[in-house]
Amino acid sequence: MTPRLVIISPCRDEAQFVRLTLESVVNQSRPPDLWIIVDDGSRDATPDLIAAYAARYPWIKLVRREGRQERQLGPGVVAAFNAGLTYLGDTPFDVIAKLDCDLEFGPDCFSRILQHFQDPRVGMASGTTRLSVPGKLVSERFAPYHVPGQAKFYRRECFRDLGGLQPVYGWDIIDETDARRHGWLTQSDPGIVIIHHRMQGAALGTLRGRIIWARGAYAIGSHPLFATARGLFRMLERPWLVGGLIFLWGFFSSYFNPELQRITDPELVRYLRREQLYRLAHGNRLPPGR
């Protein structure tokens, strides 16, 4: 039986790229049964572009949230996604996806991702993202067990085990970690290319984006040794040295920010840290059986 696919897309000020995502989805050999696009207070032409497609394709639904003044990653994205869940209500699904609106992908993307769910052990799956920069596509260098936050597909039972998405910076790391804690496999297929047209956090500026990454690492309870290694690694990327230093500053300064929400499940944090320390000692591989 073909699984019923529902997609929810938080979207804000994406007029530059949203048409690429719209065209990619409507041209899928296996389009979604329902696509809920949540416009999160856009101030550009984004909702008008989406509305034009929604008028042509009855399975595209535009939900508009108003009142948010500032673009916010992490908790803001999850809040917009949850608005889509509210709209979805009791509508049944077998696989639910969170999909960004600055992506582009081939017509067989969804059908190939759904094939991974034929393995009952797989709880979360996607393709592999490539960042579009002038003249070329650059790998975003994620491990094969990391399912990119830009395009995450969840089995219904796995999504239920997670209790939904955590409204914190770093939600896209903690959800896949929690999925593995519940015994699910998480995987991204290197043969399914998803083109990402804007680096995560780029809309907020390169250095502020690094701070957001660092706050996410703190919010999910990352081990300080792992965060330090991550900061040192980021020094080898543009902006050279500065990006890594900003990441380290953002992580360790978060300990003194009482307003920053952090994961409160001690068992989940311990599981995450065990994975991280194992990855540090074993070339970024997960512990056996994960």
Side-chain angles (χ1 to χ4, degrees):
M1 187 177 77
T2 303
R4 180 174 174 83
L5 173 63
V6 170
I7 296 176
I8 299 177
S9 292
C11 191
R12 180 181 171 98
D13 295 334
E14 294 289 3
Q16 183 179 1
F17 302 116
V18 69
R19 194 186 300 274
L20 295 172
T21 308
L22 288 161
E23 284 294 313
S24 294
V25 174
V26 301
N27 287 310
Q28 288 298 295
S29 60
R30 195 330 188 165
D33 296 278
L34 178 62
W35 186 15
I36 302 168
I37 307 177
V38 181
D39 180 72
D40 199 20
S42 290
R43 293 169 289 185
D44 62 7
T46 297
D48 296 330
L49 293 169
I50 297 169
Y53 279 78
R56 292 165 52 195
Y57 300 93
W59 43 268
I60 299 178
K61 306 297 182 182
L62 173 61
V63 176
R64 302 195 64 171
R65 293 181 78 218
E66 304 290 350
R68 221 160 48 82
Q69 300 299 314
E70 183 179 350
R71 190 181 188 102
Q72 185 186 26
L73 300 179
V77 169
V78 173
F81 180 88
N82 287 340
L85 278 180
T86 299
Y87 181 90
L88 178 64
D90 295 327
T91 302
F93 63 87
D94 299 298
V95 175
I96 190 168
K98 182 268 184 187
L99 187 77
D100 283 359
C101 286
D102 56 0
L103 306 175
E104 186 178 5
F105 36 84
D108 62 348
C109 178
F110 291 176
S111 64
R112 294 177 65 188
I113 290 174
L114 289 176
Q115 287 175 9
H116 284 276
F117 291 99
Q118 294 178 8
D119 182 342
R121 300 173 300 168
V122 173
M124 194 183 303
S126 187
T128 302
T129 56
R130 300 285 187 272
L131 183 65
S132 177
V133 298
K136 60 181 177 179
L137 298 177
V138 179
S139 171
E140 295 196 285
R141 295 204 308 270
F142 292 128
Y145 49 80
H146 172 65
V147 182
Q150 301 91 339
K152 277 183 176 275
F153 290 67
Y154 306 82
R155 187 186 298 273
R156 182 186 69 247
E157 293 84 0
C158 177
F159 192 76
R160 180 196 60 210
D161 285 346
L162 301 178
L165 306 184
Q166 298 266 11
V168 297
Y169 295 110
W171 65 268
D172 55 334
I173 300 295
I174 207 65
D175 66 344
E176 64 184 41
T177 304
D178 203 16
R180 292 191 292 269
R181 184 172 70 123
H182 281 88
W184 297 103
L185 295 180
T186 61
Q187 54 189 220
S188 56
D189 188 331
I192 305 173
V193 176
I194 299 173
I195 300 173
H196 191 200
H197 284 277
R198 180 160 57 190
M199 181 181 290
Q200 183 182 18
L204 303 175
T206 300
L207 296 184
R208 190 176 176 194
R210 293 295 193 278
I211 294 175
I212 293 297
W213 289 358
R215 288 177 178 172
Y218 168 81
I220 65 176
S222 289
H223 196 289
L225 287 177
F226 187 85
T228 299
R230 188 175 171 188
L232 293 173
F233 179 77
R234 293 296 176 187
M235 291 182 187
L236 305 177
E237 300 178 333
R238 294 181 183 274
W240 312 114
L241 187 63
V242 176
L245 290 173
I246 288 293
F247 178 90
L248 291 172
W249 177 85
F251 177 80
F252 287 104
S253 66
S254 294
Y255 282 91
F256 305 98
N257 184 351
E259 296 181 0
L260 187 59
Q261 187 175 352
R262 201 176 195 197
I263 293 297
T264 57
D265 184 341
E267 287 298 323
L268 178 54
V269 171
R270 278 194 287 270
Y271 185 93
L272 170 80
R273 290 187 169 194
R274 283 197 299 268
E275 276 198 350
Q276 289 180 336
L277 293 178
Y278 187 93
R279 288 165 59 191
L280 275 180
H282 296 85
N284 209 27
R285 295 189 301 275
L286 289 178
R290 302 292 174 86

